[in-house]
Amino acid sequence: MNVGQRAIDRIRRWRWTEFQLLIVPAVLSLVGMLIVIVVPTQNLSFTWRDLWMSLLFIGLLYASHFFLGATQRGADQVLLPVVGGITGLGMIMIQRLQLSLVRTYPTAGYDNVASKQMLWITIGVGMLIGTLIASRDLVWLRRYKYTWAVIGIGLVAATLVFGKDLNGSGIKLWFQFGPVAFQPSELLKIVLVIFLAGYLYDIRDLLALKTRIGPFVLPPVPYLLPMVAVWSLAMLLFIIQKDLGSALLFFGIFLAMIYVATSKPLYVVAGVLAFFAGSTVMYFLFPVVQLRLGIWLNPWPYASGSGYQFVQALYAYATGGALGTGFGYGSPAWVPAIHTDFVFAAIGEELGLAGTLATVCFFLLLIYRGYHIALRARDNFHQLLAVGLSTILGLQTLIILGGATGMVPLTGITLPFVSYGGSSLLTNFIIIGLLLRISALTAAVEERKVPAPAPAAPVLPQAVPAGPAPP
């Protein structure tokens, strides 16, 4: 094959679907930023300097695309555009909220929130590329599963002694190094999934064993004890820290991965019963649980105190209506912590029901692609890992959207790729990097297993029978 033919084949195999889909988040970020800049001033004059975040974001998207095309050609082509759309929406909303917060609270230090978020997005894309480079073979993650678990749990435990309370809630959840703060529980999400995937993969044959005690048939409990012990220790640390959102998230991840590994509904039923029993105990032990449950059931008696945030969010949804007030015409700063816990309320106010449904659709597509990657995986470890990582994104989205709309009690976790926060952004980009790598490995296996088509047999001219001799 000559050089020209190889170049033509390379062009044909390029990730053109991803290239075209990335136009949507690119246009979204550029047009959205223009609207955010123009609407408050009612002045159509602007410079390219005003659009630096959008231009940098578009450059990051296509830099990631070309990197994937050069090194991960078989990776999923929908995942990056969907993540780009969600992240672009988050970037626009943080910029919009910064303008509102600075106008409402001029001395509170909100004047660089958007630039910090853009910095974290840039580092996050770098972490995504770094994850793809470091995870050429995911076997090393499984091999050191106990090491990862010890590191993750140790970091979370260290916050009890060395942690900082940055939001005045009385809970030490962060490590602070100068101007940079990091929340170890975000990293523990990935670490726990790697540990569970590796351990379940190692005992996959033993899970079929049964132990009969009288009329009861029990699973191989001795083989499950190390996994349950590690998970219980993580849950205990979260409960001690009163980080109930992370505790609920980890509990759901554990149940999902156990069910996928065993296909036994018994584990899910037992887990749900244990969840309700544990929730009842926590309700009587922790006043904060009683308070959040009371606000969830009826926020209006708490409207001037602990329930003020949620009540203002309800007003924001009502103000937005079906189509929203439009960028720059709402008052999202009236909702406390609008850029972290309640960014979905800002979307509801300024983009309305249409904007919130579009956001939910983005997340549904993201979670669908994650589980699609898991279904296509040719290795049990890769499959369990993809399921766990996708469940992180799905449950975190469900918990925060449910809490922001009153479907479940409010917990203090962030909306992936949208809320302000560096720790969450970095871990979520690492998750996307791992999912892309799993899909690339699956594509490589499928390419090796598909046999090359056999060359077609040459078609020989058929002999024409001689007709009768002419008279």
Side-chain angles (χ1 to χ4, degrees):
M1 184 183 296
N2 57 33
V3 177
Q5 185 62 42
R6 285 200 298 267
I8 293 174
D9 290 343
R10 182 179 292 272
I11 291 174
R12 288 175 177 173
R13 293 197 303 267
W14 192 260
R15 300 166 62 84
W16 291 113
T17 300
E18 183 180 76
F19 183 88
Q20 296 172 72
L21 290 176
L22 284 175
I23 296 174
V24 175
V27 173
L28 171 66
S29 64
L30 195 60
V31 174
M33 192 63 68
L34 278 173
I35 296 174
V36 169
I37 293 171
V38 168
V39 166
T41 61
Q42 297 295 314
N43 187 356
L44 295 179
S45 62
F46 61 89
T47 65
W48 291 110
R49 185 177 300 177
D50 298 325
L51 301 175
W52 72 269
M53 284 189 289
S54 294
L55 297 176
L56 175 59
F57 179 70
I58 295 171
L60 291 173
L61 287 181
Y62 278 99
S64 303
H65 163 73
F66 286 111
F67 176 82
L68 290 173
T71 64
Q72 315 286 330
R73 194 168 299 157
D76 188 278
Q77 297 196 45
V78 180
L79 198 57
L80 181 62
V82 174
V83 171
I86 299 173
T87 309
L89 174 63
M91 179 189 66
I92 296 167
M93 289 306 305
I94 296 300
Q95 174 66 27
R96 163 68 189 109
L97 294 176
Q98 173 182 302
L99 297 175
S100 181
L101 289 169
V102 168
R103 186 169 60 248
T104 308
Y105 311 104
T107 61
Y110 290 116
D111 52 342
N112 58 354
V113 169
S115 58
K116 285 183 179 180
Q117 183 77 345
M118 193 63 231
L119 174 63
W120 288 119
I121 291 174
T122 305
I123 298 175
V125 173
M127 294 292 288
L128 184 152
I129 295 175
T131 301
L132 290 170
I133 296 174
S135 60
R136 293 181 61 85
D137 185 358
L138 296 177
V139 175
W140 66 281
L141 292 178
R142 175 170 59 86
R143 185 178 299 135
Y144 298 105
K145 55 185 177 295
Y146 285 103
T147 304
W148 299 121
V150 170
I151 293 174
I153 293 176
L155 286 174
V156 174
T159 58
L160 296 175
V161 181
F162 305 104
K164 300 291 184 180
D165 175 20
L166 299 183
N167 57 8
S169 61
I171 305 173
K172 298 178 179 180
L173 297 178
W174 287 268
F175 287 132
Q176 189 166 15
F177 307 96
V180 179
F182 175 72
Q183 191 172 354
S185 62
E186 293 288 341
L187 181 62
L188 186 56
K189 295 185 299 188
I190 303 176
V191 169
L192 184 63
V193 165
I194 294 173
F195 170 78
L196 291 176
Y199 191 83
L200 289 170
Y201 175 82
D202 289 343
I203 66 168
R204 61 193 183 281
D205 297 327
L206 300 174
L207 291 174
L209 301 177
K210 300 295 179 184
T211 303
R212 181 173 291 277
I213 301 179
F216 301 102
V217 178
L218 301 178
V221 177
Y223 300 106
L224 296 176
L225 283 179
M227 177 181 61
V228 174
V230 172
W231 170 79
S232 300
L233 182 58
M235 291 291 292
L236 180 62
L237 288 173
F238 288 128
I239 292 173
I240 293 175
Q241 289 182 321
K242 300 179 183 178
D243 189 1
L244 304 181
S246 295
L248 178 59
L249 177 62
F250 276 73
F251 189 85
I253 294 169
F254 181 76
L255 286 187
M257 296 190 68
I258 286 288
Y259 177 71
V260 170
T262 62
S263 302
K264 303 297 182 184
L266 173 65
Y267 293 102
V268 179
V269 174
V272 171
L273 293 177
F275 169 76
F276 282 111
S279 299
T280 303
V281 173
M282 292 177 65
Y283 177 81
F284 290 104
L285 289 179
F286 299 110
V288 64
V289 178
Q290 302 174 17
L291 178 62
R292 290 187 177 181
L293 188 62
I295 294 173
W296 175 56
L297 294 174
N298 184 14
W300 302 107
Y302 308 90
S304 59
S306 302
Y308 178 79
Q309 183 186 38
F310 182 65
V311 169
Q312 289 297 321
L314 293 179
Y315 281 127
Y317 295 127
T319 304
L323 299 178
T325 61
F327 272 133
Y329 291 102
S331 301
W334 288 106
V335 183
I338 185 68
H339 60 305
T340 54
D341 296 348
F342 271 91
V343 67
F344 194 68
I347 296 174
E349 180 177 6
E350 301 206 336
L351 299 181
L353 178 63
T356 57
L357 290 179
T359 304
V360 171
C361 288
F362 262 124
F363 279 106
L364 287 176
L365 185 55
L366 172 63
I367 297 161
Y368 162 74
R369 295 309 298 186
Y371 285 123
H372 177 72
I373 291 171
L375 286 173
R376 292 184 58 219
R378 294 294 186 263
D379 179 83
N380 288 338
F381 173 68
H382 293 164
Q383 190 172 67
L384 287 169
L385 183 59
V387 166
L389 296 174
S390 303
T391 303
I392 290 176
L393 297 174
L395 276 180
Q396 186 169 339
T397 302
L398 180 63
I399 291 171
I400 187 58
L401 292 187
T405 56
M407 297 178 62
V408 298
L410 182 64
T411 56
I413 60 178
T414 57
L415 186 60
F417 301 104
V418 179
S419 296
Y420 173 79
S423 302
S424 178
L425 267 175
L426 295 185
T427 54
N428 289 330
F429 274 111
I430 293 174
I431 289 174
I432 299 302
L434 289 172
L435 288 174
L436 286 170
R437 184 57 188 153
I438 293 171
S439 64
L441 291 172
T442 302
V445 172
E446 291 176 347
E447 186 176 353
R448 287 196 299 266
K449 285 186 176 182
V450 175
V459 179
L460 300 178
Q462 299 293 328
V464 180

